[in-house]
Amino acid sequence: MKVRLSIDIKGAVQGVGFRPFIHRIAKENNLTGFVFNSTTGVTIEVEGDKNGLDQFLHSIQKDKPQFAVINSLEFTFLDSIGYTNFEIRESKKNGKVTALILPDISICNYCLEELFDPYNRRYLYPFINCTNCGPRFSIIEKLPYDRPNTTMKTFFMCAECRKEYEDISNRRYHAQPIACHDCGPQIELYGNSANLIKAHNNALNTCVEKIYEGKIIAFKGIGGFQLIVDALNEQAILELRARKQRDQKPFALMFPNIESVKAICELTKEEEFALLSPEAPIVLLRKKAIENSFVSNVAAINNPYLGIMLPYSPLHHLLMKEFGKPIIATSGNLSEEPMCIDNQEAFSRLKNIADYFLTHNRPIIRHVDDSIVRIVKGKKTLLRRARGFAPLPIKLNKTNKKHENTKIIAVGGHLKNTVALKVDDLVFISQHIGDLSTAESFTSFKNVINDFQELYNVKPDIIVSDMHPEYLSTKYSFELNNNVEMIQHHFAHIASCRIENAVAGEALGVSWDGTGYGEDKTIWGGEFFVSGNETYEHVGNFKKFYLPGGEAAVKESKRSVLGILYSIYGKNLIDHLPEAIIKQYSKNEHQLILNLIEKKINTPETSSVGRLFDAVSSLLGICHKSTYEGEAAMQLEFIADKSELSSYRYSVEQNIKLIVNWTQTIKEILSDIDEKVRPKKISAKFHNTLAKIILEIAEITKLERVILSGGCFQNVFLLERTIDLLEGKNKKVYWHQRVPPNDGGISLGQIAACLYSQRNNVELKYINELK
C-alpha cells in the first residue's frame, strides 16, 4: 500500500546539490513526487511503500551533501494522491525567510583538476565552479538561491552550460554561478589611471610579470579586492606598508601549496587540516628557526608567526601556479577601512596604493574578508569570522519563551565590529566589518545591517547595543528602533562564549581585554562574573589604575606605565622608572603626564588587563608605542619562555567584590629588571601569574566551570597556560572556537545576554540617562 510523505527541511540546503541528491535517493527507493527550494529551505513530497519512505528519510540524514546543514526536518505521513514520477519543481516564495545562505566555498578538487586539464573546455577559466564550490554569500541578492537572485543574472548561459545546468546527473545541475569562457565573467588588467592594458589570460600573465617587477597589484577576488606583492621583495613590501599606512602590522600571505608552507613553518595535523579545509582561512603558523628564501622579514616584523592561506579561488590558483612562490595578500583598503568590492570604487580608493588592477566583471554584493584561525589545544579558534564561515548561524541551545518569536538585531562594539540577527532559534553573525573609526567603515556597518534585514525580510523588535554612550554603533541603534537594550561589554563577551559552547549551570566568567565601558562608568577590562542560566553577577575585577591621556594611553604603553606606578608610589613614581624606559620620554614628558594624573585631566580609571600587558611590555623595553591594536601585548607574548613555570606574588582582596591587587607583581617585575633578569623570563612569569589569578578566583568562588573570553585570550601562551592550570584542578574550561574571543564575538553575546541573562544586585539608572 502506497503512503505519501511530506517533508520540510530548514538549514543550509540551497546551493549544495541538495535537490539532485533528493532526486537520486527518491529514484533509488522507487518513490514518486517532487522537491523544490523555498524561502524557508527545501520542501519534499514523496510517495511509495513504507519501507522505501523509511529508507529515504534515513538517507537524507546519513548521506546528505558535504556542505548541507540540516537544522530541522519535519515530516508527516499522508494518504497517497498518485504521483507518477519524481520531479524537481521551480522554487517558491512561501512564508518568512529562514533558509540558510552558505558562505563562499573554496574550489573543489574536481573543478581544480578541470582547471588545469588542457582537454577540458574550462581549461584555465578563472571562474570555474560547481555545486560543491564557488561563491555564495558574496553574490546572492535574495532568497531563494536561484540564478536570477544572484549577480550572475546578467550572464546568459551558453548552450553547453545550459545543458549541464539542466542535467540532473551533472555536478553542475543548478549550480547558480555556472559559467565558461564563452558566456561567463572575464578578467582584465588595468593601469593606475584605469586604462585597460590586457584582457583574459593575457591579463593574468602580464599581472604576474608586474609582480615580479615589484609592483603592487589590486586583485579582485571572491569577496573583494586584495593588495598583492611578491612576499620576498622587501622594497615592494615596504612600499605597500607606506602607501597602505600600515607600519608594523603583519601582512597575510598566500603560499602556492602545502609543501611550500611546510618548508618554513611548523605544522601540526590540525593546522594542516585547517589550511586545506573548504573554508581555506588564514592560519597563524609558527615559523621554523631557519633562514628562508620565501618570505621577507618585513612581511611580519618581529613576529614568530606567519598568517598563511592557500589559494582558494580558481583565479588565485591560476595566479599562484604562474607565479610559483608566496605573495602578500592583504585586504584592499587603507588601514581601518573596509575592503573595496566594486571596480570603480577600487580605482578611486586604491589609486594611491596600487600600480595595477586585476579586475573581473562579476559583481560582488557584499565585502567578505579572509577569515583568520589559530589552533589552540588542537581545536580551531576563529580570530576573524568572514569568508568560509559567515553568515552561517549559531543555533540557540534553548528556547526563551519571552523572546521565542522576537526578532533582534545586535549592533556589536566599536572595534572588530560585527552585527548579528536573531530569527527564531538561530543567530546569524555578519562577516567581519572592522573598526568603526572611519566614514567608510561606518557606512559599511550600516549597509550590513540593512543587508541582513533585507536578506531575511526582518524588521527587528529589539535592538541590542553596547553600553558605551559614544560608540557609533550605540548611537545608531537608537536610529533603528526606540526599543534598545544595552548590554555591558564584558558580560557580552562571556555570554558569547557561553552560548557558543552551550554551557549549562553556573560558571565563572573571565572577561579580559583592553577597553570596555563599565557599569560604574569607568573603563573595565579585567572582570570576573558569576554567570548562570538566567542571571549573572559582576563579582570582581583587577585593581584600577589611571590611564593618562585616555585614548593616547592605548597607543602609548609608556603612559600606562606611569598610571600604574602612580597607583603604587604616587608622585615619587619617577624614582622607580627603569633607566631604559626613562629614555623613552621626551624632556619633561613624564612630568607633564604626571600632572594629567594628579589633576585628573583626561585620565580615566581602568581595570584593564590589556593595558597591564602594555605596561609590562614597555617596562621591559619591548614596545613603548603600538602602531596597531594589541602590538605591545603581542610582543610581550612572543618573547615569553615557555619552559619557565614560576610566577609573581599578588593578592586577592575580598570585600564587597573580589579585587585582584597586582601591586606586588609590578614591584617584583621592577626588582627583576634591576637584577638584569632576562625579559623572556619576566614575560613568562607575568603570564603564569595571570593564569594563577584565574585559578584562585575559581577556587574562591567554588565554581567548577570557567569561561574565558575577551581579546586577551587571543594570546595563546596565556590561554593554554590557563587551561592547563584549571584542568589540572579538574575544572571544566570553555573558550571560543566558532566565534572570535575579541570584539568580533560581541554581537552574538549581546543577543545571548538579552535573551537569557538578568543582572543581579546592580543599580542601572544611568542606562536610562544614556538613552
Side-chain angles (χ1 to χ4, degrees):
M1 178 180 175
K2 283 192 174 183
V3 183
R4 178 164 51 112
L5 182 62
S6 177
I7 306 172
D8 284 305
I9 298 176
K10 295 179 181 178
V13 288
Q14 296 185 15
V16 292
F18 201 83
R19 289 173 299 167
F21 160 70
I22 292 297
H23 182 278
R24 176 174 60 80
I25 61 173
K27 291 290 188 181
E28 288 173 357
N29 290 283
N30 298 314
L31 305 178
T32 57
F34 62 82
V35 59
F36 62 81
N37 280 344
S38 70
T39 51
T40 61
V42 165
T43 298
I44 306 165
E45 281 203 8
V46 283
E47 286 184 352
D49 63 63
K50 185 65 166 55
N51 287 338
L53 294 174
D54 288 342
Q55 183 59 43
F56 178 78
L57 275 174
H58 177 72
S59 294
I60 291 175
Q61 298 276 20
K62 179 175 175 288
D63 303 320
K64 65 182 186 297
Q66 179 185 0
F67 298 111
V69 177
I70 296 176
N71 282 339
S72 70
L73 188 156
E74 298 177 356
F75 62 91
T76 307
F77 285 100
L78 304 167
D79 292 338
S80 171
I81 56 176
Y83 295 123
T84 57
N85 61 357
F86 191 90
E87 61 182 355
I88 296 177
R89 294 185 177 177
E90 288 188 8
S91 300
K92 294 184 179 180
K93 296 179 180 179
N94 56 343
K96 63 182 178 181
V97 178
T98 57
L100 303 191
I101 299 170
L102 274 180
D104 301 317
I105 305 168
S106 63
I107 186 172
C108 69
N109 289 333
Y110 295 113
C111 285
L112 187 59
E113 185 176 332
E114 292 171 350
L115 180 66
F116 293 108
D117 178 3
Y119 299 103
N120 190 280
R121 74 184 192 89
R122 291 187 176 87
Y123 176 55
L124 303 183
Y125 181 57
F127 304 96
I128 188 172
N129 68 85
C130 69
T131 53
N132 298 321
C133 66
R136 300 288 190 276
F137 185 48
S138 61
I139 65 168
I140 189 170
E141 296 175 340
K142 59 184 177 181
L143 286 165
Y145 178 62
D146 292 325
R147 193 177 180 98
N149 295 336
T150 74
T151 61
M152 288 298 295
K153 63 188 176 186
T154 58
F155 296 94
F156 298 99
M157 284 180 262
C158 66
E160 288 281 345
C161 284
R162 173 64 66 181
K163 182 179 178 182
E164 293 172 317
Y165 183 83
E166 295 176 350
D167 181 357
I168 189 69
S169 64
N170 194 285
R171 196 174 85 251
R172 294 188 171 90
Y173 176 79
H174 281 214
Q176 306 306 341
I178 188 172
C180 70
H181 289 286
D182 296 329
C183 65
Q186 304 292 340
I187 59 173
E188 295 176 322
L189 183 69
Y190 289 85
N192 184 262
S193 302
N195 53 304
L196 179 63
I197 296 174
K198 298 280 185 179
H200 308 316
N201 285 349
N202 289 331
L204 186 66
N205 295 335
T206 304
C207 173
V208 170
E209 291 172 7
K210 297 304 178 184
I211 298 173
Y212 272 114
E213 292 173 8
K215 302 301 183 183
I216 299 171
I217 309 296
F219 179 99
K220 189 177 182 182
I222 288 182
F225 278 83
Q226 295 170 314
L227 293 167
I228 285 175
V229 295
D230 181 350
L232 194 56
N233 189 323
E234 182 171 314
Q235 190 55 48
I237 299 170
L238 291 174
E239 184 63 29
L240 176 59
R241 286 195 177 281
R243 295 185 192 177
K244 190 174 160 70
Q245 299 172 21
R246 184 166 171 157
D247 294 341
Q248 301 279 325
K249 192 174 182 180
F251 280 132
L253 296 144
M254 181 174 284
F255 275 54
N257 49 53
I258 196 71
E259 288 73 28
S260 58
V261 177
K262 290 178 178 178
I264 68 167
C265 290
E266 299 170 4
L267 202 62
T268 66
K269 63 180 181 181
E270 292 86 3
E271 289 166 339
E272 182 173 353
F273 181 80
L275 280 170
L276 295 170
S277 68
E279 295 83 9
I282 297 166
V283 182
L284 298 186
L285 303 172
R286 182 172 282 276
K287 291 185 284 189
K288 290 181 178 177
I290 58 171
E291 289 294 323
N292 78 81
S293 57
F294 293 101
V295 177
S296 168
N297 289 331
V298 297
I301 300 169
N302 298 324
N303 197 319
Y305 293 92
L306 294 176
I308 294 176
M309 59 185 151
L310 295 175
Y312 52 85
S313 75
L315 187 53
H316 283 110
H317 274 280
L318 292 170
L319 176 74
M320 298 308 290
K321 183 78 170 178
E322 192 68 24
F323 189 63
K325 53 182 183 173
I327 56 171
I328 301 292
T330 187
S331 300
N333 55 10
L334 272 172
S335 289
E336 313 309 334
E337 290 185 2
M339 67 195 306
C340 297
I341 60 174
D342 176 76
N343 294 350
Q344 295 304 315
E345 175 194 21
F347 292 145
S348 173
R349 285 176 52 201
L350 302 180
K351 65 182 178 182
N352 294 324
I353 303 178
D355 299 308
Y356 295 90
F357 294 78
L358 187 73
T359 72
H360 58 75
N361 58 338
R362 183 175 68 197
I364 298 172
I365 287 292
R366 57 191 63 82
H367 79 277
V368 188
D369 257 305
D370 297 312
S371 294
I372 303 176
V373 160
R374 162 171 252 165
I375 302 300
V376 177
K377 290 289 183 181
K379 296 179 180 178
K380 182 167 60 180
T381 295
L382 274 170
L383 302 182
R384 184 166 75 193
R385 190 176 190 270
R387 179 183 51 76
F389 299 94
L392 287 178
I394 300 294
K395 187 173 173 62
L396 300 175
N397 56 305
K398 59 179 179 176
T399 301
N400 180 309
K401 295 297 181 183
K402 178 183 174 183
H403 291 305
E404 187 173 5
N405 298 311
T406 305
K407 301 173 188 68
I408 304 173
I409 284 181
V411 297
H414 186 74
L415 302 176
K416 296 180 170 63
N417 179 271
T418 62
V419 301
L421 166 68
K422 176 203 168 281
V423 180
D424 296 333
D425 61 348
L426 299 175
V427 179
F428 299 90
I429 308 170
S430 78
Q431 71 275 35
H432 169 82
I433 297 169
D435 302 353
L436 305 185
S437 54
T438 66
E440 291 83 0
S441 296
F442 187 53
T443 298
S444 178
F445 159 78
K446 292 186 287 187
N447 289 342
V448 169
I449 291 175
N450 292 335
D451 183 35
F452 261 38
Q453 292 182 88
E454 290 174 8
L455 265 180
Y456 294 99
N457 194 23
V458 165
K459 185 176 181 181
D461 303 303
I462 299 174
I463 306 295
V464 194
S465 77
D466 195 276
M467 282 184 175
H468 200 304
E470 294 305 316
Y471 276 3
L472 291 176
S473 56
T474 302
K475 292 178 177 180
Y476 186 67
S477 64
F478 291 98
E479 295 181 28
L480 291 170
N481 194 318
N482 286 327
N483 189 9
V484 177
E485 296 278 345
M486 304 175 86
I487 302 296
Q488 200 282 319
H489 185 91
H490 296 92
F491 184 67
H493 274 306
I494 299 305
S496 173
C497 191
R498 184 182 180 95
I499 205 75
E500 177 193 343
N501 287 284
V503 179
E506 280 197 333
L508 172 67
V510 183
S511 185
W512 291 357
D513 63 6
T515 300
Y517 194 76
E519 291 169 345
D520 59 359
K521 303 185 184 181
T522 65
I523 298 173
W524 286 10
E527 313 309 310
F528 299 94
F529 298 86
V530 172
S531 168
N533 290 339
E534 296 181 354
T535 61
Y536 74 96
E537 184 176 351
H538 181 239
V539 297
N541 53 266
F542 272 59
K543 176 188 172 184
K544 292 180 180 177
F545 57 92
Y546 291 112
L547 207 58
E551 188 66 26
V554 174
K555 296 181 179 179
E556 296 182 26
S557 307
K558 60 186 182 181
R559 289 175 177 263
S560 292
V561 169
L562 296 184
I564 284 170
L565 294 187
Y566 183 85
S567 298
I568 302 173
Y569 301 109
K571 61 178 63 179
N572 297 321
L573 64 87
I574 306 299
D575 298 334
H576 299 273
L577 277 173
E579 288 184 19
I581 195 174
I582 290 176
K583 299 174 184 176
Q584 299 302 318
Y585 300 95
S586 58
K587 185 178 180 181
N588 297 326
E589 184 183 9
H590 47 66
Q591 187 58 52
L592 292 172
I593 295 173
L594 179 58
N595 290 342
L596 286 179
I597 297 173
E598 293 195 311
K599 295 178 181 178
K600 307 296 186 291
I601 300 172
N602 191 21
T603 301
E605 283 189 292
T606 185
S607 56
S608 168
V609 173
R611 301 288 80 83
L612 201 58
F613 264 102
D614 291 351
V616 174
S617 182
S618 184
L619 281 170
L620 295 183
I622 296 167
C623 182
H624 305 291
K625 186 173 182 179
S626 295
T627 62
Y628 60 90
E629 186 194 4
E631 181 180 6
M634 288 169 62
Q635 295 300 326
L636 184 64
E637 174 195 355
F638 294 157
I639 68 161
D641 182 355
K642 289 187 176 181
S643 66
E644 180 61 51
L645 300 177
S646 64
S647 58
Y648 294 113
R649 287 181 293 169
Y650 61 91
S651 62
V652 177
E653 300 165 3
Q654 300 185 44
N655 200 333
I656 297 174
K657 292 185 179 180
L658 301 172
I659 304 297
V660 176
N661 190 331
W662 37 259
T663 299
Q664 195 60 36
T665 302
I666 296 299
K667 286 183 175 180
E668 291 182 9
I669 287 174
L670 291 171
S671 176
D672 275 355
I673 291 170
D674 286 343
E675 294 175 13
K676 303 293 189 294
V677 174
R678 294 172 302 168
K680 68 178 185 178
K681 180 174 182 176
I682 297 174
S683 173
K685 289 173 70 177
F686 175 67
H687 281 81
N688 294 339
T689 303
L690 295 176
K692 284 184 67 177
I693 288 169
I694 294 173
L695 175 60
E696 181 166 344
I697 300 294
E699 291 180 334
I700 290 172
T701 56
K702 297 181 171 59
L703 292 167
E704 298 305 311
R705 302 177 189 87
V706 181
I707 297 169
L708 306 175
S709 187
C712 288
F713 292 106
Q714 295 174 111
N715 180 324
V716 73
F717 185 100
L718 172 65
L719 180 55
E720 292 190 338
R721 188 74 29 120
T722 302
I723 293 168
D724 288 342
L725 269 183
L726 291 169
E727 289 184 343
K729 294 294 184 179
N730 297 314
K731 305 291 184 184
K732 179 65 177 173
V733 190
Y734 302 92
W735 66 95
H736 289 275
Q737 295 174 60
R738 293 178 293 160
V739 177
N742 56 48
D743 285 6
I746 285 287
S747 60
L748 171 64
Q750 288 170 341
I751 286 178
C754 175
L755 287 173
Y756 302 124
S757 297
Q758 179 178 339
R759 180 70 166 96
N760 281 345
N761 306 324
V762 70
E763 179 59 68
L764 295 178
K765 284 183 180 177
Y766 77 94
I767 291 182
N768 292 324
E769 295 172 13
L770 293 178
K771 291 183 177 180

